[in-house]
Amino acid sequence: KAGVTQTPRYLIKTRGQQVTLSCSPISGHRSVSWYQQTPGQGLQFLFEYFSETQRNKGNFPGRFSGRQFSNSRSEMNVSTLELGDSALYLCASSLVWDYRAYEQYFGPGTRLTVT
Amino acid sequence: TQLLEQSPQFLSIQEGENLTVYCNSSSVFSSLQWYRQEPGEGPVLLVTVVTGGEVKKLKRLTFQFGDARKDSSLHITAAQPGDTGLYLCAGSSSGTYKYIFGTGTRLKVLA
């Protein structure tokens, strides 16, 4: 079974631009979560989607948005990029969201550099 | 705000030594997970613990969830170079649909 795929793997953007990152979950998985990982702040939760509905959102500004499609694929968008948005963006998928038996599989991430 | 503090932040040990990594919070979690992340890759789930006082073993790794479900520990026996990586704990509360990740412990095992 193929794992979680994220595209692109690497991206360089300029301040003020916007970017869209894509995540394809493991086949059959309906929950997709996004995280931002930086050396200073560690791994921080962005949002979680299940069946096209956002069920929770982290403490990030409105410039960060996401969506999930009917095939469970997900995208996240960052508008008006700032230097501080440089990070590794990770996507994780799971079959269902049950905190007692939650198995979350991460993709390799998209490394975003903002110059 | 729920926070998870891990200690130590960095650990460099010789092959064959034992070590313990701690994950502490002032908040109660419904479940807690441990992950290992290697450079250029996403975190890989090692274990999930859900009951206070629960102990789980995975080969040379032993995980414990605190009785009050506010803390956890990861003990590695006879560390090997292949154990090198970033270890992350993550906690969740029921109904929140999100995991809060710890600050991370970077482990290096020297041959």
Side-chain angles (χ1 to χ4, degrees), chain B residues 4-9 11 19-25 32 34 62 64 70-76 87-90 102-105:
Chain B
L4 278 167
E5 296 286 337
Q6 286 184 238
S7 61
Q9 287 186 52
L11 196 52
L19 67 116
T20 301
V21 176
Y22 299 93
C23 174
N24 294 294
S25 175
L32 198 134
W34 284 92
T62 302
Q64 183 163 8
K70 293 183 178 181
D71 56 84
S72 180
S73 64
L74 157 61
H75 182 79
I76 301 179
Y87 287 81
L88 296 159
C89 64
T103 47
T105 294

Side-chain angles (χ1 to χ4, degrees), chain A residues 23-78:
Chain A
C23 171
S24 292
I26 292 172
S27 178
H29 284 196
R30 297 170 64 189
S31 171
V32 174
S33 299
W34 287 90
Y35 296 86
Q36 180 197 66
Q37 186 173 31
T38 60
Q41 298 297 319
L43 226 156
Q44 292 186 290
F45 172 79
L46 279 159
F47 21 69
E48 189 266 356
Y49 288 90
F50 183 85
S51 293
E52 303 177 66
T53 299
Q54 185 183 90
R55 298 194 294 187
N56 204 343
K57 188 177 190 299
N59 296 324
F60 280 82
R63 299 185 296 107
F64 291 81
S65 63
R67 59 178 175 170
Q68 186 181 34
F69 302 95
S70 58
N71 61 359
S72 294
R73 190 177 69 86
S74 178
E75 290 181 346
M76 66 162 284
N77 183 276
V78 187

Side-chain angles (χ1 to χ4, degrees), chain B residues 49-70:
Chain B
V49 285
V50 298
T51 305
E54 182 176 5
V55 177
K56 280 192 175 180
K57 292 190 176 183
L58 183 66
K59 296 183 181 178
R60 295 176 294 100
L61 279 60
T62 302
F63 306 86
Q64 183 163 8
F65 201 11
D67 290 342
R69 289 184 287 129
K70 293 183 178 181

